[in-house]
Amino acid sequence: MSLMRICFPLFLALSVASCTTPNSFTVATTQKIIQHERNKSDLTTKVFTLASGEQLTYAENNNTTAEPLLLIHGFGSNKDSFTRVASELGDYHLIIPDLLGFGDSSKPDSADYRADAQAQRLHELMQAKGTASNLHLGGNSMGGAISVAYAAKYPNDIKSLWLIDSAGFWSAGVPKSLENATLENNPLLINKTEDFYKLYEFVMYKPPYLPKTVQAVFAQERIENKALHANILEQIVVDNVEARAAVVANYNIPTLVVWGQEDRVIKPETTELIKEIIPQAQIIMMPKVGHVPMVEAVDQTAEDYKGFREGLKSE
């Protein structure tokens, strides 16, 4: 059953409201929709305090006897980018954090937001939960780069790697759509609500329906954190993880690489570079899909991953 059918009364109310300036009603209704999706995926939100005093918010399902699967979101996103696909991945122990700087986690201006630093914070969380060993990793975009960094730092703990339109392999170059992007003029940075509308269409080939009233709520958070996001983006675009990916290859960590053929954020040709660096990587190209397959093609993305995990059992 689709999100639209399940939440139709809420979507209808928001569509009728038609106000694209967030107010208490649209914010509250958006939160109800998000919480409904989390509930459907058996996800509970929790908070962990790092040794630094900063907090990481994360979602976790109740299948705690299964092997852990840590899912890491991309730039400008949060844990809920994996909420819908999580409903199809209930066979695994899911842990889905808001990275430092995003979502409901702490947002220090002066932190190190490069992949190694984020990986170290996530490792601290995993150690505290007792899930640092026999760990499966998955990440989209920036989250993919962090997944590579994590695997390179703690290779003996990692059982598999799932890279979804991964950032960090910058030798492949940038797509034409971002060749002239700067920190002052970049579709990934949001100055006004209309920028978010364009971003929603930019990152996905066929975006799921989402009322503009809901998009406006999401846009507000991006607008409020624009300066921080610019700082983070400036750090990650020069953080090349290719040498760290070679560690993944050396340890022969099973790796699944999934890419939307219509990705306009990171070049689909990046898969060729990844295959060169990580020869054991399995590559799946998804037609008519953009930068976030786990949002655009939930069922197929989950099916491909579950097939990959089944294949590991025979190795």
PDB file of all heavy atoms in Angstrom, residues 106-142:
ATOM      1  N   SER A 106      23.026  17.017  17.002  1.00  0.00           N
ATOM      2  CA  SER A 106      23.668  18.302  17.277  1.00  0.00           C
ATOM      3  C   SER A 106      24.252  18.890  15.997  1.00  0.00           C
ATOM      4  O   SER A 106      24.629  18.158  15.072  1.00  0.00           O
ATOM      5  CB  SER A 106      24.775  18.116  18.310  1.00  0.00           C
ATOM      6  OG  SER A 106      24.257  17.649  19.529  1.00  0.00           O
ATOM      7  N   LYS A 107      24.356  20.216  15.970  1.00  0.00           N
ATOM      8  CA  LYS A 107      24.810  20.912  14.763  1.00  0.00           C
ATOM      9  C   LYS A 107      25.898  21.938  15.102  1.00  0.00           C
ATOM     10  O   LYS A 107      25.718  23.141  14.900  1.00  0.00           O
ATOM     11  CB  LYS A 107      23.637  21.594  14.072  1.00  0.00           C
ATOM     12  CG  LYS A 107      22.552  20.629  13.592  1.00  0.00           C
ATOM     13  CD  LYS A 107      21.391  21.379  12.967  1.00  0.00           C
ATOM     14  CE  LYS A 107      20.340  20.419  12.442  1.00  0.00           C
ATOM     15  NZ  LYS A 107      19.709  19.636  13.524  1.00  0.00           N
ATOM     16  N   PRO A 108      27.051  21.497  15.590  1.00  0.00           N
ATOM     17  CA  PRO A 108      28.133  22.454  15.894  1.00  0.00           C
ATOM     18  C   PRO A 108      28.705  23.067  14.626  1.00  0.00           C
ATOM     19  O   PRO A 108      28.934  22.373  13.633  1.00  0.00           O
ATOM     20  CB  PRO A 108      29.171  21.585  16.610  1.00  0.00           C
ATOM     21  CG  PRO A 108      28.921  20.205  16.103  1.00  0.00           C
ATOM     22  CD  PRO A 108      27.440  20.098  15.890  1.00  0.00           C
ATOM     23  N   ASP A 109      28.946  24.355  14.662  1.00  0.00           N
ATOM     24  CA  ASP A 109      29.457  25.053  13.476  1.00  0.00           C
ATOM     25  C   ASP A 109      30.885  24.657  13.130  1.00  0.00           C
ATOM     26  O   ASP A 109      31.258  24.622  11.955  1.00  0.00           O
ATOM     27  CB  ASP A 109      29.393  26.572  13.693  1.00  0.00           C
ATOM     28  CG  ASP A 109      27.968  27.093  13.747  1.00  0.00           C
ATOM     29  OD1 ASP A 109      27.100  26.495  13.075  1.00  0.00           O
ATOM     30  OD2 ASP A 109      27.723  28.067  14.470  1.00  0.00           O
ATOM     31  N   SER A 110      31.699  24.376  14.142  1.00  0.00           N
ATOM     32  CA  SER A 110      33.137  24.230  13.908  1.00  0.00           C
ATOM     33  C   SER A 110      33.615  22.779  13.878  1.00  0.00           C
ATOM     34  O   SER A 110      34.805  22.517  13.950  1.00  0.00           O
ATOM     35  CB  SER A 110      33.911  24.982  14.994  1.00  0.00           C
ATOM     36  OG  SER A 110      33.560  24.506  16.284  1.00  0.00           O
ATOM     37  N   ALA A 111      32.724  21.823  13.770  1.00  0.00           N
ATOM     38  CA  ALA A 111      33.110  20.409  13.806  1.00  0.00           C
ATOM     39  C   ALA A 111      33.794  19.971  12.517  1.00  0.00           C
ATOM     40  O   ALA A 111      33.679  20.620  11.465  1.00  0.00           O
ATOM     41  CB  ALA A 111      31.890  19.542  14.067  1.00  0.00           C
ATOM     42  N   ASP A 112      34.493  18.858  12.605  1.00  0.00           N
ATOM     43  CA  ASP A 112      35.046  18.190  11.437  1.00  0.00           C
ATOM     44  C   ASP A 112      33.943  17.309  10.860  1.00  0.00           C
ATOM     45  O   ASP A 112      33.479  16.372  11.510  1.00  0.00           O
ATOM     46  CB  ASP A 112      36.263  17.341  11.852  1.00  0.00           C
ATOM     47  CG  ASP A 112      36.966  16.700  10.673  1.00  0.00           C
ATOM     48  OD1 ASP A 112      36.398  16.695   9.557  1.00  0.00           O
ATOM     49  OD2 ASP A 112      38.086  16.178  10.873  1.00  0.00           O
ATOM     50  N   TYR A 113      33.518  17.610   9.649  1.00  0.00           N
ATOM     51  CA  TYR A 113      32.434  16.865   9.031  1.00  0.00           C
ATOM     52  C   TYR A 113      32.919  15.947   7.913  1.00  0.00           C
ATOM     53  O   TYR A 113      32.102  15.425   7.147  1.00  0.00           O
ATOM     54  CB  TYR A 113      31.371  17.833   8.492  1.00  0.00           C
ATOM     55  CG  TYR A 113      30.560  18.485   9.588  1.00  0.00           C
ATOM     56  CD1 TYR A 113      30.801  19.802   9.979  1.00  0.00           C
ATOM     57  CD2 TYR A 113      29.560  17.776  10.241  1.00  0.00           C
ATOM     58  CE1 TYR A 113      30.066  20.396  10.990  1.00  0.00           C
ATOM     59  CE2 TYR A 113      28.812  18.354  11.251  1.00  0.00           C
ATOM     60  CZ  TYR A 113      29.065  19.666  11.622  1.00  0.00           C
ATOM     61  OH  TYR A 113      28.322  20.238  12.633  1.00  0.00           O
ATOM     62  N   ARG A 114      34.215  15.738   7.829  1.00  0.00           N
ATOM     63  CA  ARG A 114      34.725  14.833   6.813  1.00  0.00           C
ATOM     64  C   ARG A 114      34.399  13.383   7.176  1.00  0.00           C
ATOM     65  O   ARG A 114      33.995  13.080   8.302  1.00  0.00           O
ATOM     66  CB  ARG A 114      36.224  15.044   6.629  1.00  0.00           C
ATOM     67  CG  ARG A 114      36.576  16.395   5.994  1.00  0.00           C
ATOM     68  CD  ARG A 114      38.059  16.672   6.034  1.00  0.00           C
ATOM     69  NE  ARG A 114      38.547  16.791   7.413  1.00  0.00           N
ATOM     70  CZ  ARG A 114      39.817  17.020   7.729  1.00  0.00           C
ATOM     71  NH1 ARG A 114      40.732  17.160   6.778  1.00  0.00           N
ATOM     72  NH2 ARG A 114      40.169  17.108   9.006  1.00  0.00           N
ATOM     73  N   ALA A 115      34.601  12.494   6.217  1.00  0.00           N
ATOM     74  CA  ALA A 115      34.134  11.114   6.358  1.00  0.00           C
ATOM     75  C   ALA A 115      34.748  10.394   7.556  1.00  0.00           C
ATOM     76  O   ALA A 115      34.046   9.684   8.282  1.00  0.00           O
ATOM     77  CB  ALA A 115      34.404  10.340   5.064  1.00  0.00           C
ATOM     78  N   ASP A 116      36.037  10.550   7.776  1.00  0.00           N
ATOM     79  CA  ASP A 116      36.681   9.850   8.896  1.00  0.00           C
ATOM     80  C   ASP A 116      36.094  10.278  10.239  1.00  0.00           C
ATOM     81  O   ASP A 116      35.865   9.441  11.126  1.00  0.00           O
ATOM     82  CB  ASP A 116      38.191  10.101   8.890  1.00  0.00           C
ATOM     83  CG  ASP A 116      38.933   9.159   7.966  1.00  0.00           C
ATOM     84  OD1 ASP A 116      38.295   8.283   7.353  1.00  0.00           O
ATOM     85  OD2 ASP A 116      40.164   9.299   7.838  1.00  0.00           O
ATOM     86  N   ALA A 117      35.861  11.566  10.393  1.00  0.00           N
ATOM     87  CA  ALA A 117      35.329  12.072  11.660  1.00  0.00           C
ATOM     88  C   ALA A 117      33.908  11.566  11.893  1.00  0.00           C
ATOM     89  O   ALA A 117      33.550  11.159  13.004  1.00  0.00           O
ATOM     90  CB  ALA A 117      35.365  13.598  11.671  1.00  0.00           C
ATOM     91  N   GLN A 118      33.096  11.587  10.850  1.00  0.00           N
ATOM     92  CA  GLN A 118      31.734  11.073  10.995  1.00  0.00           C
ATOM     93  C   GLN A 118      31.750   9.570  11.273  1.00  0.00           C
ATOM     94  O   GLN A 118      30.964   9.069  12.096  1.00  0.00           O
ATOM     95  CB  GLN A 118      30.920  11.370   9.721  1.00  0.00           C
ATOM     96  CG  GLN A 118      30.657  12.847   9.458  1.00  0.00           C
ATOM     97  CD  GLN A 118      29.544  13.414  10.332  1.00  0.00           C
ATOM     98  OE1 GLN A 118      29.351  13.002  11.474  1.00  0.00           O
ATOM     99  NE2 GLN A 118      28.817  14.396   9.799  1.00  0.00           N
ATOM    100  N   ALA A 119      32.663   8.847  10.611  1.00  0.00           N
ATOM    101  CA  ALA A 119      32.767   7.405  10.835  1.00  0.00           C
ATOM    102  C   ALA A 119      33.151   7.104  12.282  1.00  0.00           C
ATOM    103  O   ALA A 119      32.617   6.169  12.902  1.00  0.00           O
ATOM    104  CB  ALA A 119      33.776   6.800   9.870  1.00  0.00           C
ATOM    105  N   GLN A 120      34.048   7.895  12.820  1.00  0.00           N
ATOM    106  CA  GLN A 120      34.487   7.679  14.202  1.00  0.00           C
ATOM    107  C   GLN A 120      33.328   7.888  15.176  1.00  0.00           C
ATOM    108  O   GLN A 120      33.170   7.133  16.149  1.00  0.00           O
ATOM    109  CB  GLN A 120      35.651   8.609  14.536  1.00  0.00           C
ATOM    110  CG  GLN A 120      36.282   8.339  15.893  1.00  0.00           C
ATOM    111  CD  GLN A 120      37.571   9.122  16.089  1.00  0.00           C
ATOM    112  OE1 GLN A 120      38.155   9.641  15.143  1.00  0.00           O
ATOM    113  NE2 GLN A 120      38.021   9.197  17.326  1.00  0.00           N
ATOM    114  N   ARG A 121      32.509   8.903  14.921  1.00  0.00           N
ATOM    115  CA  ARG A 121      31.342   9.136  15.785  1.00  0.00           C
ATOM    116  C   ARG A 121      30.369   7.962  15.712  1.00  0.00           C
ATOM    117  O   ARG A 121      29.824   7.521  16.731  1.00  0.00           O
ATOM    118  CB  ARG A 121      30.633  10.433  15.361  1.00  0.00           C
ATOM    119  CG  ARG A 121      31.476  11.684  15.557  1.00  0.00           C
ATOM    120  CD  ARG A 121      30.757  12.930  15.072  1.00  0.00           C
ATOM    121  NE  ARG A 121      31.659  14.072  15.107  1.00  0.00           N
ATOM    122  CZ  ARG A 121      32.105  14.729  14.037  1.00  0.00           C
ATOM    123  NH1 ARG A 121      31.690  14.384  12.823  1.00  0.00           N
ATOM    124  NH2 ARG A 121      32.940  15.742  14.163  1.00  0.00           N
ATOM    125  N   LEU A 122      30.144   7.459  14.507  1.00  0.00           N
ATOM    126  CA  LEU A 122      29.234   6.334  14.352  1.00  0.00           C
ATOM    127  C   LEU A 122      29.787   5.074  15.017  1.00  0.00           C
ATOM    128  O   LEU A 122      29.033   4.284  15.596  1.00  0.00           O
ATOM    129  CB  LEU A 122      28.965   6.079  12.862  1.00  0.00           C
ATOM    130  CG  LEU A 122      28.220   7.201  12.130  1.00  0.00           C
ATOM    131  CD1 LEU A 122      28.094   6.864  10.651  1.00  0.00           C
ATOM    132  CD2 LEU A 122      26.845   7.456  12.742  1.00  0.00           C
ATOM    133  N   HIS A 123      31.093   4.901  14.957  1.00  0.00           N
ATOM    134  CA  HIS A 123      31.719   3.758  15.615  1.00  0.00           C
ATOM    135  C   HIS A 123      31.531   3.852  17.136  1.00  0.00           C
ATOM    136  O   HIS A 123      31.303   2.835  17.813  1.00  0.00           O
ATOM    137  CB  HIS A 123      33.197   3.686  15.263  1.00  0.00           C
ATOM    138  CG  HIS A 123      33.888   2.463  15.781  1.00  0.00           C
ATOM    139  ND1 HIS A 123      34.817   2.502  16.795  1.00  0.00           N
ATOM    140  CD2 HIS A 123      33.757   1.152  15.440  1.00  0.00           C
ATOM    141  CE1 HIS A 123      35.252   1.273  17.038  1.00  0.00           C
ATOM    142  NE2 HIS A 123      34.627   0.441  16.241  1.00  0.00           N
ATOM    143  N   GLU A 124      31.605   5.054  17.659  1.00  0.00           N
ATOM    144  CA  GLU A 124      31.371   5.243  19.090  1.00  0.00           C
ATOM    145  C   GLU A 124      29.954   4.824  19.454  1.00  0.00           C
ATOM    146  O   GLU A 124      29.721   4.166  20.483  1.00  0.00           O
ATOM    147  CB  GLU A 124      31.613   6.708  19.464  1.00  0.00           C
ATOM    148  CG  GLU A 124      31.525   6.984  20.955  1.00  0.00           C
ATOM    149  CD  GLU A 124      31.778   8.449  21.307  1.00  0.00           C
ATOM    150  OE1 GLU A 124      32.414   9.167  20.512  1.00  0.00           O
ATOM    151  OE2 GLU A 124      31.315   8.862  22.391  1.00  0.00           O
ATOM    152  N   LEU A 125      28.998   5.191  18.614  1.00  0.00           N
ATOM    153  CA  LEU A 125      27.615   4.772  18.821  1.00  0.00           C
ATOM    154  C   LEU A 125      27.492   3.256  18.763  1.00  0.00           C
ATOM    155  O   LEU A 125      26.850   2.628  19.626  1.00  0.00           O
ATOM    156  CB  LEU A 125      26.707   5.423  17.770  1.00  0.00           C
ATOM    157  CG  LEU A 125      25.266   4.904  17.687  1.00  0.00           C
ATOM    158  CD1 LEU A 125      24.507   5.171  18.977  1.00  0.00           C
ATOM    159  CD2 LEU A 125      24.541   5.530  16.482  1.00  0.00           C
ATOM    160  N   MET A 126      28.108   2.638  17.757  1.00  0.00           N
ATOM    161  CA  MET A 126      28.023   1.194  17.599  1.00  0.00           C
ATOM    162  C   MET A 126      28.666   0.467  18.784  1.00  0.00           C
ATOM    163  O   MET A 126      28.140  -0.540  19.268  1.00  0.00           O
ATOM    164  CB  MET A 126      28.698   0.762  16.290  1.00  0.00           C
ATOM    165  CG  MET A 126      28.010   1.238  15.018  1.00  0.00           C
ATOM    166  SD  MET A 126      26.333   0.603  14.808  1.00  0.00           S
ATOM    167  CE  MET A 126      25.399   2.018  15.378  1.00  0.00           C
ATOM    168  N   GLN A 127      29.783   0.968  19.253  1.00  0.00           N
ATOM    169  CA  GLN A 127      30.428   0.351  20.415  1.00  0.00           C
ATOM    170  C   GLN A 127      29.527   0.423  21.648  1.00  0.00           C
ATOM    171  O   GLN A 127      29.402  -0.553  22.394  1.00  0.00           O
ATOM    172  CB  GLN A 127      31.761   1.044  20.700  1.00  0.00           C
ATOM    173  CG  GLN A 127      32.884   0.665  19.751  1.00  0.00           C
ATOM    174  CD  GLN A 127      34.191   1.308  20.152  1.00  0.00           C
ATOM    175  OE1 GLN A 127      34.268   2.508  20.384  1.00  0.00           O
ATOM    176  NE2 GLN A 127      35.243   0.492  20.234  1.00  0.00           N
ATOM    177  N   ALA A 128      28.904   1.571  21.844  1.00  0.00           N
ATOM    178  CA  ALA A 128      28.028   1.744  23.007  1.00  0.00           C
ATOM    179  C   ALA A 128      26.835   0.797  22.959  1.00  0.00           C
ATOM    180  O   ALA A 128      26.349   0.339  23.995  1.00  0.00           O
ATOM    181  CB  ALA A 128      27.557   3.193  23.095  1.00  0.00           C
ATOM    182  N   LYS A 129      26.372   0.495  21.744  1.00  0.00           N
ATOM    183  CA  LYS A 129      25.213  -0.388  21.588  1.00  0.00           C
ATOM    184  C   LYS A 129      25.617  -1.861  21.541  1.00  0.00           C
ATOM    185  O   LYS A 129      24.743  -2.744  21.522  1.00  0.00           O
ATOM    186  CB  LYS A 129      24.460  -0.036  20.302  1.00  0.00           C
ATOM    187  CG  LYS A 129      23.802   1.342  20.343  1.00  0.00           C
ATOM    188  CD  LYS A 129      22.941   1.577  19.124  1.00  0.00           C
ATOM    189  CE  LYS A 129      21.784   0.620  19.077  1.00  0.00           C
ATOM    190  NZ  LYS A 129      20.863   0.731  20.237  1.00  0.00           N
ATOM    191  N   GLY A 130      26.913  -2.144  21.481  1.00  0.00           N
ATOM    192  CA  GLY A 130      27.361  -3.522  21.374  1.00  0.00           C
ATOM    193  C   GLY A 130      27.157  -4.105  19.994  1.00  0.00           C
ATOM    194  O   GLY A 130      27.052  -5.333  19.830  1.00  0.00           O
ATOM    195  N   THR A 131      27.114  -3.248  18.978  1.00  0.00           N
ATOM    196  CA  THR A 131      26.873  -3.700  17.599  1.00  0.00           C
ATOM    197  C   THR A 131      28.029  -3.352  16.671  1.00  0.00           C
ATOM    198  O   THR A 131      27.858  -3.286  15.456  1.00  0.00           O
ATOM    199  CB  THR A 131      25.573  -3.067  17.052  1.00  0.00           C
ATOM    200  OG1 THR A 131      25.654  -1.636  17.175  1.00  0.00           O
ATOM    201  CG2 THR A 131      24.351  -3.563  17.804  1.00  0.00           C
ATOM    202  N   ALA A 132      29.214  -3.143  17.223  1.00  0.00           N
ATOM    203  CA  ALA A 132      30.346  -2.703  16.404  1.00  0.00           C
ATOM    204  C   ALA A 132      30.954  -3.830  15.581  1.00  0.00           C
ATOM    205  O   ALA A 132      31.615  -3.576  14.567  1.00  0.00           O
ATOM    206  CB  ALA A 132      31.417  -2.063  17.284  1.00  0.00           C
ATOM    207  N   SER A 133      30.754  -5.077  15.976  1.00  0.00           N
ATOM    208  CA  SER A 133      31.315  -6.206  15.223  1.00  0.00           C
ATOM    209  C   SER A 133      30.229  -6.865  14.382  1.00  0.00           C
ATOM    210  O   SER A 133      29.032  -6.693  14.631  1.00  0.00           O
ATOM    211  CB  SER A 133      31.941  -7.221  16.178  1.00  0.00           C
ATOM    212  OG  SER A 133      30.970  -7.727  17.069  1.00  0.00           O
ATOM    213  N   ASN A 134      30.666  -7.623  13.368  1.00  0.00           N
ATOM    214  CA  ASN A 134      29.720  -8.276  12.442  1.00  0.00           C
ATOM    215  C   ASN A 134      28.722  -7.271  11.882  1.00  0.00           C
ATOM    216  O   ASN A 134      27.520  -7.549  11.772  1.00  0.00           O
ATOM    217  CB  ASN A 134      28.983  -9.421  13.136  1.00  0.00           C
ATOM    218  CG  ASN A 134      29.916 -10.530  13.551  1.00  0.00           C
ATOM    219  OD1 ASN A 134      30.812 -10.914  12.788  1.00  0.00           O
ATOM    220  ND2 ASN A 134      29.744 -11.046  14.759  1.00  0.00           N
ATOM    221  N   LEU A 135      29.232  -6.113  11.525  1.00  0.00           N
ATOM    222  CA  LEU A 135      28.393  -4.990  11.109  1.00  0.00           C
ATOM    223  C   LEU A 135      28.303  -4.902   9.589  1.00  0.00           C
ATOM    224  O   LEU A 135      29.308  -5.003   8.885  1.00  0.00           O
ATOM    225  CB  LEU A 135      28.977  -3.683  11.669  1.00  0.00           C
ATOM    226  CG  LEU A 135      28.266  -2.380  11.331  1.00  0.00           C
ATOM    227  CD1 LEU A 135      26.861  -2.357  11.916  1.00  0.00           C
ATOM    228  CD2 LEU A 135      29.075  -1.183  11.859  1.00  0.00           C
ATOM    229  N   HIS A 136      27.087  -4.704   9.107  1.00  0.00           N
ATOM    230  CA  HIS A 136      26.845  -4.428   7.696  1.00  0.00           C
ATOM    231  C   HIS A 136      26.609  -2.922   7.567  1.00  0.00           C
ATOM    232  O   HIS A 136      25.885  -2.337   8.373  1.00  0.00           O
ATOM    233  CB  HIS A 136      25.644  -5.203   7.185  1.00  0.00           C
ATOM    234  CG  HIS A 136      25.802  -6.692   7.282  1.00  0.00           C
ATOM    235  ND1 HIS A 136      26.276  -7.459   6.238  1.00  0.00           N
ATOM    236  CD2 HIS A 136      25.575  -7.546   8.319  1.00  0.00           C
ATOM    237  CE1 HIS A 136      26.314  -8.727   6.624  1.00  0.00           C
ATOM    238  NE2 HIS A 136      25.899  -8.804   7.872  1.00  0.00           N
ATOM    239  N   LEU A 137      27.199  -2.317   6.547  1.00  0.00           N
ATOM    240  CA  LEU A 137      27.116  -0.868   6.350  1.00  0.00           C
ATOM    241  C   LEU A 137      26.403  -0.541   5.047  1.00  0.00           C
ATOM    242  O   LEU A 137      26.599  -1.232   4.034  1.00  0.00           O
ATOM    243  CB  LEU A 137      28.517  -0.249   6.274  1.00  0.00           C
ATOM    244  CG  LEU A 137      29.326  -0.051   7.544  1.00  0.00           C
ATOM    245  CD1 LEU A 137      30.724   0.447   7.179  1.00  0.00           C
ATOM    246  CD2 LEU A 137      28.644   0.934   8.467  1.00  0.00           C
ATOM    247  N   GLY A 138      25.596   0.508   5.063  1.00  0.00           N
ATOM    248  CA  GLY A 138      24.989   1.011   3.840  1.00  0.00           C
ATOM    249  C   GLY A 138      24.930   2.520   3.878  1.00  0.00           C
ATOM    250  O   GLY A 138      24.652   3.103   4.928  1.00  0.00           O
ATOM    251  N   GLY A 139      25.197   3.169   2.747  1.00  0.00           N
ATOM    252  CA  GLY A 139      25.157   4.627   2.727  1.00  0.00           C
ATOM    253  C   GLY A 139      24.818   5.175   1.365  1.00  0.00           C
ATOM    254  O   GLY A 139      25.223   4.626   0.338  1.00  0.00           O
ATOM    255  N   ASN A 140      24.062   6.273   1.370  1.00  0.00           N
ATOM    256  CA  ASN A 140      23.690   6.972   0.144  1.00  0.00           C
ATOM    257  C   ASN A 140      24.464   8.278   0.033  1.00  0.00           C
ATOM    258  O   ASN A 140      24.552   9.036   1.003  1.00  0.00           O
ATOM    259  CB  ASN A 140      22.185   7.262   0.153  1.00  0.00           C
ATOM    260  CG  ASN A 140      21.732   8.169  -0.983  1.00  0.00           C
ATOM    261  OD1 ASN A 140      21.146   9.222  -0.755  1.00  0.00           O
ATOM    262  ND2 ASN A 140      22.003   7.780  -2.202  1.00  0.00           N
ATOM    263  N   SER A 141      25.050   8.532  -1.139  1.00  0.00           N
ATOM    264  CA  SER A 141      25.723   9.794  -1.428  1.00  0.00           C
ATOM    265  C   SER A 141      26.831  10.059  -0.409  1.00  0.00           C
ATOM    266  O   SER A 141      27.752   9.251  -0.276  1.00  0.00           O
ATOM    267  CB  SER A 141      24.686  10.926  -1.456  1.00  0.00           C
ATOM    268  OG  SER A 141      25.206  12.085  -2.043  1.00  0.00           O
ATOM    269  N   MET A 142      26.779  11.141   0.345  1.00  0.00           N
ATOM    270  CA  MET A 142      27.768  11.403   1.389  1.00  0.00           C
ATOM    271  C   MET A 142      27.851  10.233   2.356  1.00  0.00           C
ATOM    272  O   MET A 142      28.934   9.886   2.862  1.00  0.00           O
ATOM    273  CB  MET A 142      27.400  12.679   2.137  1.00  0.00           C
ATOM    274  CG  MET A 142      28.311  13.042   3.302  1.00  0.00           C
ATOM    275  SD  MET A 142      27.726  14.506   4.218  1.00  0.00           S
ATOM    276  CE  MET A 142      26.252  13.816   5.018  1.00  0.00           C
TER     277      MET A 142
END
